[in-house]
Amino acid sequence: SGVERLGDMIAEASTIVPFTGAGISTECGIPDFRSPGGLWTRNRPIPFDEFVASPDARDEAWRRRFAMEPTFAAARPGRGHRALASLYRAGKIPAIVTQNIDNLHQMSGFADEHVIELHGNTTYARCIGCGKAYDLAWAKLRFEETGGAPDCADCDEPVKTATISFGQAMPEDAMRRATELAQHCDLFIAIGSSLVVWPAAGFPMIAKNCGARLVIINNEPTEQDDIADLVIRHDIGETLGPFVGN
Ligand code: OAD
Ligand code: ZN
């Protein structure tokens, strides 16, 4: 079966790089983006230039974020996160590349410096001018005091969750490190991503072109199933559950 082949490939690999998307966190209660019920089926994404230009867009972005807070605050690592953390502790995974913003890989036991976040992190905020970090409780308090999206206490520019919006520059260091990881692994496993958002979606192909085996685990077809060595079209928690604690 697919899971047995995956087990063999994991056993044979010396350097595994996982690449995760929102599908690994759905069992933790966090909706993905493009499935039925996904975030982008309910809300139109707010592009970066709109956030910068429009106070209304900023208010809306923060209202949405505060509405999600109980969900993010309650989320704990699932079977997929825990399985990857086990392989990391076993020395098989040097670092993980993720599109997720939910902090669950860190919570599952990955050191911060071994989680390469391509799309940032929603559990804290940053000034888009000077980069100063803020916690969400501060943003909530400011929103309540002023009735609108918070501005930086130092430079007065807008403060935004520390995530990458459409149209916003990708984090250079994360892109560089993810490229190196994809180039130097022997097994690359894309987990829970529709693989439609670029440049993130380019990493499976980079790994494949550099000689890694490519596995895709996703319950729906993805854009890149045709280049994979193994496609497991199945639930992530069930597929990776057997690797928890190994
Ligand atoms: P998507 O919502 O596009 O894809 C998630 C995939 O996971 C879908 O194909 C689901 O079918 C699958 N899935 C969900 N739950 C699953 C489960 N339990 N088992 C197996 N498969 C499951 O999410 P991403 O690919 O992560 O970017 O989206 C990429 C980027 O688009 C995000 O990082 C975000 C979004 O816009 C930004 O915000 C910049
Ligand atoms: Zn600032």
Side-chain angles (χ1 to χ4, degrees):
S1 74
V3 180
E4 275 169 27
R5 270 199 73 197
L6 175 63
D8 291 344
M9 289 165 101
I10 288 173
E12 289 161 15
S14 55
T15 308
I16 304 171
V17 171
F19 172 82
T20 57
I24 197 172
S25 298
T26 53
E27 79 169 11
C28 314
I30 300 172
D32 65 10
F33 295 93
R34 294 173 182 81
S35 292
L39 280 183
W40 298 157
T41 68
R42 286 183 279 155
N43 284 317
R44 177 185 69 85
I46 299 169
F48 186 65
D49 59 351
E50 210 175 303
F51 184 94
V52 173
S54 158
D56 287 346
R58 290 200 285 281
D59 290 355
E60 171 65 13
W62 275 109
R63 261 187 238 107
R64 286 183 192 176
R65 178 60 187 87
F66 295 141
M68 286 293 292
E69 184 51 16
T71 300
F72 282 115
R76 293 294 172 270
R79 289 170 291 178
H81 300 98
R82 283 155 47 213
L84 297 175
S86 298
L87 293 168
Y88 166 69
R89 278 191 289 271
K92 285 265 190 184
I93 294 176
I96 186 165
V97 180
T98 188
Q99 301 169 86
N100 297 343
I101 57 175
D102 55 27
N103 217 48
L104 290 178
H105 291 303
Q106 291 91 330
M107 215 185 282
S108 74
F110 277 85
D112 289 354
E113 69 265 30
H114 295 148
V115 182
I116 316 301
E117 295 178 320
L118 297 175
H119 294 160
N121 188 307
T122 195
T123 64
Y124 64 100
R126 272 193 196 287
C127 168
I128 65 172
C130 70
K132 185 182 167 82
Y134 289 93
D135 57 40
L136 290 187
W138 175 88
K140 185 98 196 310
L141 199 64
R142 290 299 296 153
F143 197 100
E144 282 161 2
E145 281 168 3
T146 66
D151 293 324
C152 182
D154 284 358
C155 76
D156 216 36
E157 291 293 312
V159 173
K160 182 177 155 302
T161 57
T163 52
I164 305 298
S165 301
F166 288 110
Q168 187 171 5
M170 292 292 285
E172 273 173 40
D173 191 57
M175 287 298 289
R176 187 183 51 72
R177 292 183 64 203
T179 304
E180 275 168 20
L181 284 161
Q183 286 170 337
H184 296 112
C185 63
D186 50 14
L187 179 59
F188 189 95
I189 314 180
I191 303 163
S193 176
S194 56
L195 301 177
V196 299
V197 174
W198 292 74
F203 289 109
M205 200 172 297
I206 291 173
K208 182 77 189 150
N209 287 342
C210 291
R213 285 170 155 178
L214 173 62
V215 177
I216 294 178
I217 308 173
N218 204 67
N219 62 12
E220 293 287 335
T222 80
E223 286 285 284
Q224 301 184 39
D225 290 355
D226 54 337
I227 65 162
D229 297 283
L230 173 64
V231 176
I232 301 181
R233 198 164 292 161
H234 191 61
D235 181 73
I236 292 160
E238 297 208 343
T239 304
L240 293 180
F243 299 97
V244 174
N246 285 347

